[in-house]
Amino acid sequence: MSNATRIGTEPSKTARWIILVIVGLVFAIPIISMIEFTFRVGPAGGYTVDHWTALFDPANARNYRDLFQSIGNSFILAAVTVAIVLVVLLPTMILVHLQFPRLRRVLEFICIVPITVPAIVLVVGLAPVYSVVVKVFGGSIWTLAFAYGITVLPYAYRSIQANLDAVPVVTLSEAARSLGAGWLSVLGRVLLPNLRRGVLAAAFISVAVVLGEFTIASLLNRRNLQTALLQVSQSDPWVAVILALLSLLFAFVLLLLIGRLGSLGRGKETTP
Amino acid sequence: MTVATAPVLTTGDAGTPSRRRPLGLVKYLGLTPFAAYVLIFLAIPTTLAVLTGFVTEDGQFTWDNVLGLFQPNVLAAFGASFWVSAITAVIGAVIGALVCYAMLGTRAEGALRTMVNSASSVLAQFGGVMLAFAFIATIGVQGLVTTILKNQFGVDIFANGLWFYQVPGLLLPYVYFQVPLMVITFMPALEGLKPQWAEANATLGGTRLIYWRRIAIPVLAPSFLGSLLLLFANAFSSYATAAALISQGSQIVPLQIRGALVSETVLGRENMAGALALGMIVVMVVVMTGYSALQTRASRWQR
């Protein structure tokens, strides 16, 4: 029995594994059920791999054209949302951090607001805003990313801010400036390389959030992965569940990468 | 470059190349893209959502929509939302805290922690259509668990009616995303427990029970309650899972909003969505204010 266990700060090895295994198993049941479902012949009884092969069979490409297009839409939306995070949020956060220390709390507050104003509330007011947006930018799918940029704000902010707090940004930029670097090279050659981890994490979590978004797309009558999944599930539930599993796996890999990024950086940094 | 720490750069004499001077007005211009973006896509929609609750179809001021919040079916929806959120928040918080406790003492960079954190982040985001699928496959009419219980154990979980496609059916799916969210938000607080406190307790002859009852739990209480409120807010505002599971009716508030938005042809119903949005925002603001107050209090121990 380790010291920490004896004085009570840590669980014993047995207790740890009992808790983790039980919770892990319970949480695995729905995933296992989804996997089992994709191999069923019909709603009940019998197993087959047909549903998996059918999805990737070029002969069926026509049937799934709408579905694949919606997946494409979701990836376009993810890309534009990441672009909004990089072009609008990131420079503002750096600027506020360097030049407007007093505005940091204000920025933090703004970025947390989307938690308090959930998508289902926002969408009520977004409907009239989008009637204007459609007039200006046309009705293509990417315009929905303007709304998604707001949805991902709390997550992206947290990832980037954690990195900003961990790196002596002010000192670095002053050092670079005193060596004669212009603002652009301070940003591009000093700050961004140091913020790479936070920025990547922000991008990944934004992609994960956008790929899972349903509320706004559904109520503004746009087609993305999630609305298409719901529609397909009425006629071909197997395909819907297979795609749900695949996108879950995709999100897991993305977030595992974020975790790796975090620990890689922590290993390298020396404590100040 | 902060003005206060770089006085050389603030003097701005004529000889300094312009790019080396603090950019004055220009740096304020740098804030405008974000300000404009947040104004158009966050501030205006939120204001519009709330304001539409106070006007009629032809733009006249009215209290009718807001008074409509007190109709029995709307009140019932708020009540159902409240109970679903409260129950799933408590269950999620307790199980999530247990998982956090189980991970105490493992390396933060270790494989176990990375796996659990990534899985938690995925599952906390999992709420939505796909979550509904998962539970239909599990405890739906033909679900794996339903079938096994019926065939192997002779238990029919739907003997008392199809509760799965009603409000009680939301409980299990919601717990499924509440637990991971608790793991993410509560873990930092548990890690903030200093080993020295436990050592001091042990040196003074305290037992494990005393350590938890007199030190750890009082220190953790604000974080725990704060996370509980965050979980409540999370469930209260969740729409997609309910929308995918419950296609008929408007048993909880987000579904009421859907009903009001979709049936806009019915006279006066569209602006009811505004009133419902206002009601939701009021609840969310109260809950999130409590959350941030508790977070402030909790942060005293996390230095």
Side-chain angles (χ1 to χ4, degrees):
Chain A
M1 199 186 241
S2 84
N3 202 29
T5 311
R6 193 165 28 81
I7 58 176
T9 45
E10 286 170 14
S12 68
K13 243 192 172 135
T14 337
R16 166 179 307 148
W17 287 109
I18 289 177
I19 295 173
L20 288 181
V21 167
I22 291 180
V23 175
L25 280 180
V26 171
F27 272 73
I29 292 175
I31 310 284
I32 295 169
S33 303
M34 281 171 100
I35 298 173
E36 191 259 0
F37 178 79
T38 62
F39 291 107
R40 288 192 193 179
V41 175
Y47 291 104
T48 171
V49 291
D50 285 358
H51 303 300
W52 283 86
T53 49
L55 180 63
F56 301 104
D57 187 353
N60 287 331
R62 275 175 60 93
N63 298 343
Y64 297 134
R65 201 172 50 196
D66 275 2
L67 187 60
F68 288 140
Q69 199 191 351
S70 307
I71 297 175
N73 283 350
S74 271
F75 276 100
I76 293 173
L77 285 169
V80 180
T81 308
V82 169
I84 291 175
V85 168
L86 296 185
V87 175
V88 181
L89 177 65
L90 177 65
T92 309
M93 286 184 69
I94 295 177
L95 187 66
V96 166
H97 200 84
L98 291 179
Q99 296 277 357
F100 304 97
R102 282 203 208 134
L103 289 183
R104 280 183 209 172
R105 294 305 298 270
V106 179
L107 185 64
E108 183 184 2
F109 176 78
I110 292 174
C111 291
I112 306 285
V113 166
I115 297 181
T116 313
V117 183
I120 182 72
V121 169
L122 200 62
V123 79
V124 176
L126 272 175
V129 169
Y130 263 89
S131 62
V132 179
V133 169
V134 167
K135 272 183 204 140
V136 179
F137 294 103
S140 0
I141 184 74
W142 67 267
T143 53
L144 199 56
F146 288 130
Y148 287 177
I150 297 293
T151 315
V152 303
L153 213 49
Y155 308 99
Y157 171 83
R158 214 173 296 157
S159 308
I160 298 174
Q161 188 62 39
N163 202 164
L164 273 177
D165 288 337
V167 173
V169 177
V170 176
T171 318
L172 282 176
S173 67
E174 274 168 8
R177 296 279 291 144
S178 68
L179 292 169
W183 274 115
L184 277 181
S185 42
V186 170
L187 195 65
R189 293 169 63 188
V190 178
L191 294 183
L192 285 184
N194 274 296
L195 296 175
R196 195 178 47 213
R197 200 150 37 88
V199 172
L200 269 179
F204 284 174
I205 189 98
S206 301
V207 171
V209 170
V210 170
L211 291 187
E213 211 286 329
F214 171 78
T215 309
I216 296 176
S218 157
L219 290 172
L220 290 181
N221 293 316
R222 307 299 177 99
R223 294 183 55 83
N224 72 1
L225 170 64
Q226 301 296 325
T227 60
L229 280 184
L230 186 59
Q231 201 181 25
V232 161
S233 72
Q234 320 279 335
S235 57
D236 191 345
W238 294 278
V239 168
V241 173
I242 289 174
L243 284 174
L245 277 171
L246 290 179
S247 60
L248 205 59
L249 187 70
F250 182 72
F252 181 69
V253 171
L254 272 186
L255 289 155
L256 205 59
L257 281 176
I258 297 181
R260 294 307 302 159
L261 285 172
S263 53
L264 279 182
R266 236 175 283 156
K268 265 186 294 180
E269 268 163 32
T270 47
T271 39
Chain B
M1 177 187 70
T2 35
V3 173
T5 51
V8 175
L9 302 178
T10 56
T11 51
D13 58 316
T16 321
S18 65
R19 67 178 175 84
R20 299 213 48 178
R21 235 179 289 158
L23 304 172
L25 242 177
V26 179
K27 71 179 186 182
Y28 286 95
L29 281 178
L31 293 179
T32 46
F34 182 75
Y37 176 62
V38 168
L39 182 73
I40 297 175
F41 289 99
L42 181 59
I44 291 182
T46 310
T47 317
L48 280 179
V50 172
L51 281 186
T52 50
F54 290 99
V55 293
T56 61
E57 286 297 271
D58 34 319
Q60 301 290 313
F61 177 84
T62 177
W63 287 106
D64 286 357
N65 297 318
V66 178
L67 289 177
L69 288 178
F70 297 97
Q71 283 168 5
N73 66 328
V74 180
L75 280 181
F78 270 94
S81 270
F82 180 87
W83 281 114
V84 168
S85 310
I87 293 171
T88 60
V90 170
I91 300 175
V94 171
I95 301 178
L98 264 180
V99 172
C100 291
Y101 169 71
M103 286 199 300
L104 269 182
T106 57
R107 281 195 316 121
E109 295 86 20
L112 174 74
R113 214 49 108 63
T114 316
M115 282 291 285
V116 173
N117 278 341
S118 309
S120 299
S121 309
V122 175
L123 295 181
Q125 287 301 322
F126 188 36
V129 180
M130 301 187 293
L131 182 63
F133 291 169
F135 275 84
I136 292 171
T138 313
I139 51 169
V141 179
Q142 303 283 353
L144 184 61
V145 171
T146 317
T147 328
I148 291 176
L149 282 178
K150 200 190 277 174
N151 296 346
Q152 313 293 325
F153 301 96
V155 181
D156 182 6
I157 56 171
F158 294 123
N160 298 320
L162 260 180
W163 51 268
F164 180 60
Y165 297 97
Q166 302 290 325
V167 175
L170 295 177
L171 291 177
L172 284 174
Y174 277 26
V175 165
Y176 200 78
F177 62 68
Q178 297 280 48
V179 172
L181 183 65
M182 183 67 182
V183 173
I184 298 172
T185 53
F186 192 56
M187 198 62 213
L190 257 190
E191 284 190 305
L193 285 178
K194 300 228 176 2
Q196 290 88 327
W197 299 339
E199 284 160 16
N201 172 61
T203 322
L204 294 169
T207 59
R208 292 180 66 154
L209 189 69
I210 291 183
Y211 167 69
W212 281 98
R213 245 193 41 217
R214 308 282 289 273
I215 300 170
I217 289 178
V219 165
L220 292 175
S223 305
F224 183 82
L225 292 176
S227 305
L228 191 71
L229 285 182
L230 191 70
L231 262 54
F232 180 91
N234 186 41
F236 197 82
S237 58
S238 168
Y239 164 77
T241 313
L245 270 183
I246 306 177
S247 50
Q248 297 293 318
S250 310
Q251 293 89 333
I252 58 172
V253 185
L255 294 183
Q256 286 266 341
I257 294 183
R258 168 180 74 177
L261 279 177
V262 171
S263 63
E264 57 188 326
T265 43
V266 182
L267 207 66
R269 279 301 270 171
E270 189 186 9
N271 291 348
M272 192 58 213
L276 289 162
L278 173 68
M280 272 197 87
I281 287 185
V282 170
V283 175
M284 293 297 285
V285 166
V286 169
V287 172
M288 292 306 287
T289 309
Y291 167 71
S292 68
L294 284 165
Q295 281 299 97
T296 316
R297 195 166 158 70
S299 65
R300 287 203 313 206
W301 299 105
Q302 285 177 9
R303 281 181 206 137

